[in-house]
Amino acid sequence: SYYREIDDEFYEELEEILVYADVGVATTGEIIERLRARVDQEKLGDTAKIREYLSEILMGMVGTDGELELPSPSIILVVGVNGVGKTTAIGKMAHYYKSEGRKVMLGAADTFRAAASEQLTIWSERAGVPIVKHGEGADPAAVVFDAISSAKARGCDLLICDTAGRLHNKKNLMEELKKIGRVVDREYGGAHREVFLVLDATTGQNAIAQAKIFKEAVNVTGIILTKLDGTAKGGVVIAVKNELNVPVRFIGVGEGMEDLQVFDPKAFVEALLQEKA
Amino acid sequence: MAFEGLTSKLSEVFKKLTSRGKLSEQDVKAAMREVKMALLEADVNFLVVKKFIKTVSERAVGSEILESLTPGQQVIKVVNEELTNLMGSTVSKLTVASAPPSVYMLVGLQGAGKTTMAGKLAGYLKKQGKNPLLCACDIYRPAAIQQLKVLGEKLEIPVFEEGQKDAVKTALHGVQYAKDNGHDAVLLDTAGRLHIDTELMDELKRMKKAVDPHEILLVVDSMTGQDAVNVAQSFHDTLEISGVILTKLDGDTRGGAALSVKAVTGQPIKFAGVGEKLTDIEPFYPERMASRILGM
Ligand SMILES: Nc1nc2c(ncn2[C@@H]2O[C@H](COP(=O)(O)OP(=O)(O)OP(=O)(O)O)[C@@H](O)[C@H]2O)c(=O)[nH]1
Ligand SMILES: Nc1nc2c(ncn2[C@@H]2O[C@H](COP(=O)(O)OP(=O)(O)OP(=O)(O)O)[C@@H](O)[C@H]2O)c(=O)[nH]1
Ligand SMILES: [K+]
Ligand SMILES: [Mg+2]
Ligand SMILES: [Mg+2]
């Protein structure tokens, strides 16, 4: 190949692709800077090669984690803001892990939203796993307490607990979540614990604040990125991963039970860089 | 938030300027770069931002902004004015059908807040002395009908449902039921769907044809990012929405989606959802939203 000037306009186009994918201006700036440095250093003029480097940078940022290991027994707490897809993701995970031959149980600790436990009950029936629930308005920490006792008694491999959607800027609701975390510490210290934050791919830069504050409150250990079956790219997880180093574990690609996939950084980055038709 | 206020950024920009007088193209460019960053940080769609920056630049170049002691404030004033203009400068209300019942159809992506908003609007109309009916047209989501029923019970407002059979027929029969039973407003709660799901978008089209709703309201999560324009465009192309409702504004999102949605549909934002309680509904104030998007 021959050397040719890679101009500002070229970089601007790449920048736009990233911003359009919700990567955010700050992280986009950082990515382009790294790309420029590498291109200048290697005196690259081949745009296809440069795009390849861009993919590499993005993949390095979003996915250098090992596989998720869930020894028996494990508990997964699922948290996030309102309407992102927590309950649905739990239904899908229940199915996923049950298909792997695990003994799964669900805890319906969203006692707040109208018909939340009915919704999770339908998912438990679809997946064919037991569920522990209380009435609307019950103390969510008490549900988790009961679910843990029940999981222990039945010798479950995996307990997955739903929680009510809550905006991260609601102090009292975040305190309630911490309380649930303490119940798990106290009652299920012997279990491996994961806390999955569900992020909606259509969400913009607010996802960064969500991740920060949920991580501070309950030590988030993984991310589930939902609704990637739409046209949103979910690029904000790159910024989230970059700032907080929390691995993305699963993606949601629909409303059906099978619409959950283990996160694949390469496929994610490829889809992200694909320009609009 | 870590976001540095646009005001201080702009004063930084203008501190570097030495000459006073009319703003040059260069000066405006430097200032607009900061405005552009702020809007993108706030999730305004980048095509909308580009267009907006062009408009504001044209207004700012050659103006007397620099005569002022605080040119940064002046630029913000122009930006703020244009933003408010874009977002519609007055508070919009729900319109009422001349022959009752007024039928309001709520549509939008999954999890945006439609069902909750149907409840909130029903409560709001009841408070105004109306006799609303909630109609459960989401036949897909697990426990969606039950969710609406729980809301109806809390509000003491009846809920019409026909199980999970046929969304369009449920809507049609619900409107007929309202006519027969003296309800002057009907709120149709529809299932969340992706704008690219042609089958489900077609269901909405058929529902619109069947009941001829007085308003079709697109419910949009205020945390939505760049994709808001695609969503709004598709829903508007398919249904000709009459207004937008922005939800979850009780969060700390800057809410740039508001601007994107308004810019592509041209339809007013009529209400804001500001919490999970059924009373957490407010009229939408464009000028407040402009300041919020700018981070002020
Ligand atoms: N298209 C699509 N829709 C999804 C996906 N995941 C969830 N949904 C839909 O999003 C909506 C909200 O999902 P829920 O699982 O109820 O979300 P949640 O976070 O539990 O909501 P709250 O408990 O109210 O905070 C439902 O209509 C789901 O069917 C996904 O991956 N793709
Ligand atoms: N904090 C806050 N939460 C809201 C607001 N509006 C709705 N919610 C919550 O957002 C979540 C989703 O609301 P729904 O009304 O179920 O949304 P939907 O659009 O009907 O969802 P689908 O039917 O699954 O598409 C629930 O947890 C609601 O309580 C709001 O203005 N503020
Ligand atoms: K959402
Ligand atoms: Mg839920
Ligand atoms: Mg709903």
Side-chain angles (χ1 to χ4, degrees), chain A residues 81-84 86 88 110 112-114 119 164-167 169-170 173 227 255, chain B residues 107-118 120 138 141-142 144 147 151 189-193 219 221-223 246-251 272-277 280-281:
Chain A
V81 300
N82 309 81
V84 288
K86 294 176 291 299
T88 307
D110 178 358
F112 180 76
R113 214 213 56 210
Q119 183 189 2
R166 69 199 74 221
L167 294 176
N169 63 335
K170 306 269 165 95
L173 295 181
K227 308 187 194 175
E255 299 185 82
Chain B
V107 301
L109 292 184
Q110 289 95 343
K114 295 172 295 299
T115 306
T116 309
M117 188 47 74
K120 287 177 182 178
D138 178 354
R141 170 172 166 162
Q147 184 188 359
L151 300 185
D189 178 33
T190 66
R193 67 203 71 214
V219 179
D221 186 324
S222 60
M223 296 177 273
L246 217 56
T247 62
K248 309 179 199 174
L249 272 168
D250 47 322
V274 291
E276 294 193 77
K277 290 197 307 293
D280 292 332
I281 175 173

Side-chain angles (χ1 to χ4, degrees), chain A residues 108-126:
Chain A
D110 178 358
T111 58
F112 180 76
R113 214 213 56 210
S117 79
E118 285 89 340
Q119 183 189 2
L120 192 67
T121 301
I122 293 171
W123 277 109
S124 78
E125 285 161 4
R126 283 183 185 173

